[in-house]
Amino acid sequence: MPPKSKKARTPEERSIDPAAQEILIWADEEGIESAFSRAEQMAPCPIGANGSCCKVCFMGPCRLTKDGQTGVCGATIETVTARNFARAVAAGSASHSDHGRDLAFTLLATAKGEAQGYQIRDPFKLKRLAEELGVPTEGRPIDEVGVDVAEKCISMFGQQTGELAFIERAPEKRKEIWRNLGIVPRGIDREVVDILHRTHMGDDQDPEHILDQAMRAGLSDGWGGSMVATAISDVLFGTPSPLVSKVNLGVLKDDEVNILVHGHEPTLSEMILAATSDPELLDYAEEKGAKGITLAGICCTSNETLVRQGVPSAGNFLHQELAIMTGAVDAMVVDVQCIMQALPNLAENFHTEVITTSPKVKITGATHIEFDEHYALDIAKEIVRKAIDRYPERGKTRIPDVSSDVVPGFSHEYINYMLGGSYRASFRPLNDAIMSGRIRGVVADVGCNNPRTTQDFSHDYLARELLKNDVLLVETGCGAIASGKYGYLLGEAAMEWAGPGLREVCEATGMPPVLHMGSCVDNTRILTVLTQVVEEGGLGEDIDEVPAVGIAPEWMSEKALAIASYAAASGAYVIMGINNPNDASEVVTDILSRGWEEKVGGKIEFVVEPEEMVERILDHIDKKREALGLPAYEPEKFGRSGDWRMEEIMDLTPEEREEALYGQPAGD
Ligand code: XCC
Ligand code: SF4
């Protein structure tokens, strides 16, 4: 057994998830390491942690640790910190956007009939996209439209001048702010390259100016690459609407072949899903002694297949190693992003085959089966067959008996429909509920797990506190999976956790008080919701006027900083947990908060303690309510409908229902 670090934490300090605790106790006994134990052994580098390490040229690297110290070139701590932040935003934007690019090429191949197994599943969304992008649809076959839309999307990446097309989706006032500041993205790739250029040795050395470009690159992600990813994923795999599924390690099956898909893209995982119901492969599994084939996911590939097909999720980021440790995973199939290099080594203790599939991602020790959309189904079948071959090699399994029911799948299209019902589909009911104070405000809880803090603790704590305060939550990524584990993604959760006003709204619509909107690229759905809320009227003329906050309490990836940047540039107040990566520079920390708030109405702050996050969130929401002239939040006013039953509401005429629920008759 390896020597234990003095700082080894208890299972409860490592994770609040009972499934994780159970596996971690076993792993400690066996001397098997994980990100949890490695984080204890590896203290974060203090110079990197606060942004004061510069390694952009080889006169350095320079570590600026003393007051007033500069690098060999004379670079100040402000410049170094701003450059580090901007480079992280560039990497994050590049990753999201490149994912979008690959989907655009998949749509192109599909529309040309060259992508095996794929089809256009949401032709209506494709048509709406076509109209938006100026592609004629009248009398044209859907595939032809698909080719043109794909090409338009692909051209956004290499576009050099002008404005990205999806910028048009933003509120008028917002576009004016961006245009006046000169931060409207010209092309997706261009803004990322621009950051890499201007942060090279000897270029832009004005921290505020560097950070303006971070906003621009962030916007090219949020209103560009990620938006392309969401839109085309919906076109190819269907626009999500609520369905029932399960979350956590308990979704793995002792007597079936278990295949986990992990990473970010829906492209291959959708084909693997199709292959798992192939009768030939099911027979083959039976031959090998398995009762069937179970597919489950990790991270955002999981979110993609969960919100569209109801494929269960085995967990979020810090569950990737734990899943293998159950001994029940026959193959872990990964595509891109958030895949720990530890997986192949770890898998050697078990029978699990780790399979990399992206042309961009190879990991030493993993089997590489390169994905090619032209032969997608054949490749998916080959992978499933490999997993089945591993099944007889399984040793003892330890699947924690822990899983929760969830109802995910809230696209902005569905929210629009859900709140108004079919007779009045619009955001009016949501706006009215916020205006009346039934819903105090909206918080988007997104982002990762981070072993530097207790897994899921902050996600869970914030969800509970915010629901109690009648804050509606919208979630994506690993935060959404955390909410699933603790039961927040169910209609019943409103009865247990929500304050009186939010509970009324949830009861009336049957919606959960926490809405799972998809993967990390689907944060663009949240931008769309905010824009539609603005357009609906009554909550200001721009996103920064809406009583809303974005949080990523357990973030770890560069993509999280890209998301934070575009959300702030779009007008949102963003609070990040863990630690401030710009801590070495008060100036940079101030530019991102006070500076950006003056410029664009949104800002990024880093707050370590979840209690303080709650305070700042509620304070911000109440200030925004006041600025809009809305009534102050008074929970005592609501809750009379607390014992209404669904049937009684359904018996009312639409007008009576409207009156009862929203305090005003329909049609005004
Ligand atoms: Fe990765 Fe998207 Fe973070 Fe989860 S939340 S750890 S980025 S999978 Ni986006
Ligand atoms: Fe040092 Fe300047 Fe080179 Fe950075 S750019 S490593 S501060 S000399």
Side-chain angles (χ1 to χ4, degrees):
M1 230 173 102
K4 273 199 188 150
S5 146
K6 276 183 232 124
K7 285 173 283 169
R9 298 170 291 176
T10 63
E12 292 76 20
E13 287 167 333
R14 286 173 167 182
S15 177
I16 65 162
D17 181 341
Q21 292 167 2
E22 190 180 323
I23 297 286
L24 286 169
I25 291 170
W26 175 84
D28 273 352
E29 283 165 8
E30 297 293 313
I32 295 179
E33 61 169 43
S34 64
F36 294 90
S37 61
R38 286 188 299 269
E40 289 148 19
Q41 314 276 348
M42 166 76 66
C45 164
I47 298 151
N50 69 10
S52 60
C53 172
C54 183
K55 51 196 276 295
V56 304
C57 93
F58 295 86
M59 298 189 283
C62 302
R63 29 155 76 187
L64 310 189
T65 52
K66 298 188 201 93
D67 260 359
Q69 196 180 12
T70 65
V72 173
C73 66
T76 61
I77 191 72
E78 288 75 46
T79 301
V80 168
T81 312
R83 277 199 298 230
N84 286 337
F85 182 85
R87 285 203 158 203
V89 172
S93 301
S95 308
H96 280 147
S97 298
D98 203 41
H99 164 174
R101 178 196 334 259
D102 286 343
L103 278 157
F105 276 104
T106 305
L107 174 60
L108 184 64
T110 305
K112 285 184 171 167
E114 294 166 358
Q116 185 193 29
Y118 297 99
Q119 67 194 67
I120 290 165
R121 290 229 197 114
D122 191 342
F124 302 104
K125 186 146 186 166
L126 178 62
K127 275 204 175 141
R128 285 201 304 276
L129 261 180
E131 276 150 26
E132 200 181 348
L133 297 172
V135 170
T137 56
E138 246 337 87
R140 298 180 75 197
I142 197 72
D143 283 346
E144 236 177 86
V145 176
V147 169
D148 286 0
V149 166
E151 276 169 353
K152 285 258 181 196
C153 288
I154 291 165
S155 72
M156 287 181 203
F157 292 88
Q159 191 178 317
Q160 299 301 323
T161 53
E163 300 185 346
L164 284 181
F166 288 147
I167 293 297
E168 274 310 318
R169 292 182 175 185
E172 283 309 317
K173 264 189 136 174
R174 187 59 20 197
K175 285 183 278 192
E176 276 320 297
I177 292 173
W178 292 338
R179 285 176 186 140
N180 290 337
L181 284 172
I183 59 169
V184 179
R186 294 156 289 190
I188 298 167
D189 293 351
R190 177 160 189 187
E191 304 311 343
V192 171
V193 169
D194 183 306
I195 286 192
L196 294 181
H197 179 184
R198 81 171 64 204
T199 59
H200 180 273
M201 194 272 148
D203 283 306
D204 198 358
Q205 283 152 108
D206 177 291
E208 187 181 340
H209 196 235
I210 293 170
L211 294 170
D212 282 350
Q213 180 60 23
M215 282 200 265
R216 201 175 199 179
L219 290 171
S220 82
D221 171 2
W223 299 85
S226 279
M227 218 167 239
V228 168
T230 298
I232 295 185
S233 300
D234 286 353
V235 166
L236 285 174
F237 308 115
T239 303
S241 58
L243 34 72
V244 184
S245 190
K246 276 188 186 302
V247 166
N248 217 338
L249 294 173
V251 305
L252 298 171
K253 303 231 172 74
D254 239 330
D255 50 3
E256 294 193 12
V257 174
N258 291 309
I259 303 174
L260 282 188
V261 283
H262 169 28
H264 279 79
E265 295 176 344
T267 331
L268 174 62
S269 47
E270 289 274 346
M271 281 306 125
I272 293 186
L273 176 63
T276 54
S277 52
D278 182 275
E280 238 172 77
L281 287 168
L282 285 167
D283 285 348
Y284 187 56
E286 206 174 304
E287 243 171 71
K288 298 278 177 179
K291 289 231 172 75
I293 307 172
T294 288
L295 183 70
I298 296 272
C299 278
C300 280
T301 297
S302 182
N303 283 319
E304 298 279 356
T305 46
L306 175 69
V307 298
R308 292 203 181 81
Q309 326 294 353
V311 172
S313 174
N316 43 8
F317 179 64
L318 283 176
H319 268 36
Q320 57 187 292
E321 291 173 293
L322 307 181
I324 291 182
M325 290 181 197
T326 64
V329 175
D330 302 294
M332 179 171 281
V333 186
V334 303
D335 47 62
V336 294
Q337 303 167 18
C338 301
I339 301 145
M340 290 195 197
Q341 190 171 352
L343 297 184
N345 258 337
L346 173 66
E348 281 189 2
N349 298 299
F350 305 90
H351 75 300
T352 310
E353 179 146 18
V354 177
I355 303 173
T356 52
T357 59
S358 163
K360 278 164 246 186
V361 178
K362 275 196 179 186
I363 307 177
T364 311
T367 309
H368 190 71
I369 301 180
E370 197 153 303
F371 174 64
D372 176 348
E373 64 223 0
H374 300 93
Y375 311 99
L377 197 53
D378 292 343
I379 294 168
K381 283 184 186 166
E382 184 190 341
I383 289 172
V384 171
R385 189 171 283 272
K386 269 199 178 293
I388 297 170
D389 285 334
R390 287 282 171 133
Y391 179 81
E393 292 170 38
R394 249 192 222 180
K396 190 175 155 7
T397 60
R398 57 203 71 74
I399 303 173
D401 186 18
V402 180
S403 68
S404 309
D405 293 325
V406 293
V407 178
F410 292 86
S411 53
H412 52 86
E413 287 92 340
Y414 188 82
I415 294 176
N416 186 36
Y417 161 80
M418 160 184 81
L419 288 158
S422 49
Y423 83 100
R424 199 191 180 195
S426 82
F427 275 82
R428 193 69 253 154
L430 175 63
N431 283 30
D432 286 345
I434 297 174
M435 290 167 72
S436 67
R438 274 187 177 79
I439 294 178
R440 186 172 182 175
V442 181
V443 163
D445 175 22
V446 309
C448 327
N449 279 152
N450 187 321
R452 297 282 170 211
T453 185
T454 308
Q455 183 193 19
D456 297 342
F457 174 84
S458 299
H459 286 302
D460 176 64
Y461 174 83
L462 284 154
R464 226 172 327 126
E465 290 301 311
L466 293 171
L467 292 180
K468 208 197 302 178
N469 280 286
D470 291 299
V471 172
L472 174 69
L473 284 155
V474 292
E475 301 196 340
T476 62
C478 290
I481 299 178
S483 272
K485 291 182 193 172
Y486 309 109
Y488 301 127
L489 301 184
L490 292 170
E492 298 92 287
M495 298 309 290
E496 197 168 344
W497 306 106
L502 177 60
R503 198 187 312 143
E504 276 186 4
V505 176
C506 291
E507 255 186 302
T509 54
M511 75 180 197
V514 179
L515 304 178
H516 187 323
M517 297 188 71
S519 66
C520 307
V521 294
D522 293 335
N523 284 318
T524 60
R525 299 192 203 275
I526 301 176
L527 294 178
T528 309
V529 165
L530 287 169
T531 304
Q532 294 188 343
V533 159
V534 166
E535 277 162 7
E536 187 61 46
L539 290 172
E541 287 167 35
D542 195 356
I543 294 173
D544 63 342
E545 294 178 54
V546 179
V549 179
I551 57 173
E554 300 180 27
W555 70 284
M556 64 87 200
S557 86
E558 294 170 310
K559 290 177 288 169
L561 293 182
I563 295 165
S565 297
Y566 74 64
S570 302
Y573 176 22
V574 179
I575 304 180
M576 312 285 285
I578 304 294
N579 114 70
N580 176 4
N582 317 302
D583 212 24
S585 169
E586 269 171 41
V587 173
V588 167
T589 302
D590 186 62
I591 292 172
L592 293 179
S593 54
R594 202 184 44 82
W596 280 14
E597 189 167 34
E598 274 169 22
K599 271 189 181 171
V600 294
K603 59 180 167 181
I604 305 178
E605 285 176 1
F606 295 87
V607 178
V608 179
E609 295 304 329
E611 295 83 359
E612 196 189 333
M613 279 187 211
V614 172
E615 263 171 46
R616 291 202 200 183
I617 290 165
L618 295 178
D619 187 55
H620 180 84
I621 285 175
D622 289 345
K623 275 199 196 123
K624 292 291 171 187
R625 295 188 63 87
E626 205 189 320
L628 287 167
L630 299 178
Y633 169 65
E634 268 184 285
E636 310 75 44
K637 280 188 11 204
F638 305 108
R640 278 170 320 210
S641 62
D643 355 295
W644 283 14
R645 283 211 248 91
M646 215 43 206
E647 306 89 78
E648 291 175 36
I649 296 172
M650 287 313 174
D651 279 347
L652 302 175
T653 67
E655 289 74 21
E656 287 166 343
R657 183 153 74 123
E658 187 84 354
E659 171 107 55
L661 294 178
Y662 302 109
Q664 60 187 109
D668 58 6

